[in-house]
Amino acid sequence: GRSPLLNVPSPKQNSATAGNILGVEMCNYSTLKPYIALLRMFDNLTTALYGQVDLKDESNTLLQQWTQLKGLTQRSTRERICRDMLRSVAMRGGAKANIQIHQEEARGRRKRGVDATLQSSIFGQIFRQLQNAPIQTFFTVPMFSVKLVGFGSIDAGGPYRQVLSMLAEELLTPHPSNNFMMNPLFAFTANQDDRLLLPNVSIEYTQQHYAMYHFFGKLLAFFLLSPNDALAADFPPLFWKLLLGETVSVRDLVVVDK
């Protein structure tokens, strides 16, 4: 007999039959027109406001409202705006900070608890010195000039790269007690074979911890925008999807908890 896959209704058939092709109920296009018009309005409004917002002023109310509005636009519009945003905040000189890093202070000590380890870590030292830095600092390459205390070195690129390497290394290094990482803000997922990192939910969060996560987000943005610098640590798709507000799938959960 004739294959059901080829039994496509002709235009002369009634709308109920014509709306059901291959067993899939199709929506009447005319009912979608108001929603399509609304989407186009959001697209046009978001694009128009894009040229008016200051992307570097986090306290700007217009920027906050525009960010919410951008989430209502079509994907193609968001992608176009993101490409333009990346071009507009391309790495450039100026506003470079100066910091000091005590490597000996950052070494793991068994008697140190979570908070003491976090404060003395490479990340903790950078946080203390740059938490109030102007946002322009995070658009600069290199972000800072560093003096390694006790080594008498003047940063000509080597110490800067070394600090970035240590910043990643402590994310992946367990504390001597083996109860948490050298950067206790993060922990390996339950599937430790993949060495993927997620925020450490076993610690009791304080306001400073939240401030540190916010600061870590600025560092991530810097690494994403920087043409030459990278953070040598792996985060699962679940991390990025939650960060960007995208839909999480069961597969994302399986990756981190087998």
Side-chain angles (χ1 to χ4, degrees):
R2 190 177 181 184
S3 169
L5 294 179
L6 299 178
N7 189 22
V8 179
S10 70
K12 295 182 180 180
Q13 291 177 281
N14 62 55
S15 58
T17 303
N20 192 331
I21 298 178
L22 302 182
V24 179
E25 190 70 27
M26 298 186 68
C27 183
N28 188 340
Y29 175 75
S30 63
T31 63
L32 295 177
K33 286 185 177 179
Y35 300 99
I36 295 174
L38 191 61
L39 281 175
R40 287 173 178 166
M41 182 188 73
F42 284 139
D43 285 347
N44 294 334
L45 183 58
T46 304
T47 303
L49 287 177
Y50 168 60
Q52 307 300 320
V53 296
D54 184 355
L55 300 176
K56 300 185 288 298
D57 185 1
E58 296 178 333
S59 63
N60 189 296
T61 302
L62 180 60
L63 174 60
Q64 297 170 4
Q65 294 175 343
W66 177 80
T67 302
Q68 295 178 342
L69 182 63
K70 184 165 65 71
L72 300 175
T73 61
Q74 299 181 75
R75 180 167 182 167
S76 59
T77 301
R78 293 197 302 271
E79 290 177 349
R80 185 179 70 252
I81 290 174
C82 285
R83 287 194 297 268
D84 289 342
M85 289 172 65
L86 290 176
R87 282 195 294 268
S88 69
V89 295
M91 296 293 120
R92 52 189 179 275
K96 182 168 67 172
N98 295 293
I99 66 172
Q100 294 186 351
I101 294 295
H102 297 256
Q103 288 181 268
E104 185 62 27
E105 179 184 342
R107 289 184 59 184
R109 290 175 172 78
R110 183 175 292 273
K111 293 184 179 180
R112 280 182 179 166
V114 169
D115 287 330
T117 299
L118 179 57
Q119 294 297 334
S120 61
S121 67
I122 299 297
F123 171 76
Q125 294 182 51
I126 296 175
F127 170 76
R128 287 200 305 271
Q129 297 174 74
L130 296 185
Q131 61 177 315
N132 296 319
I135 193 64
Q136 287 81 5
T137 297
F138 300 90
F139 294 90
T140 306
V141 174
M143 185 193 307
F144 50 75
S145 178
V146 60
K147 174 179 173 57
L148 298 178
V149 177
F151 290 84
S153 60
I154 299 176
D155 195 349
Y160 173 77
R161 299 288 180 195
Q162 185 176 351
V163 167
L164 296 187
S165 177
M166 291 188 294
L167 182 66
E169 183 179 349
E170 67 183 11
L171 283 167
L172 306 172
T173 303
H175 183 264
S177 68
N178 212 34
N179 292 328
F180 48 86
M181 310 302 287
M182 289 301 297
N183 181 341
L185 290 180
F186 294 89
F188 285 135
T189 64
N191 182 25
Q192 295 191 20
D193 293 340
D194 291 336
R195 293 175 67 82
L196 298 173
L197 293 164
L198 281 176
N200 185 2
V201 297
S202 66
I203 62 176
E204 296 184 9
Y205 291 147
T206 65
Q207 287 302 315
Q208 186 178 52
H209 291 145
Y210 290 124
M212 286 181 158
Y213 277 122
H214 182 76
F215 180 78
F216 189 84
K218 290 182 178 180
L219 293 182
L220 280 182
F222 165 80
F223 287 121
L224 289 173
L225 291 171
S226 174
N228 301 314
D229 300 318
L231 184 66
D234 290 329
F235 299 91
L238 175 65
F239 175 85
W240 298 110
K241 285 188 174 183
L242 291 175
L243 191 66
L244 298 173
E246 295 186 358
T247 303
V248 174
S249 67
V250 174
R251 184 175 183 179
D252 298 326
L253 300 176
V254 170
V255 170
V256 300
D257 190 1
K258 293 182 180 180

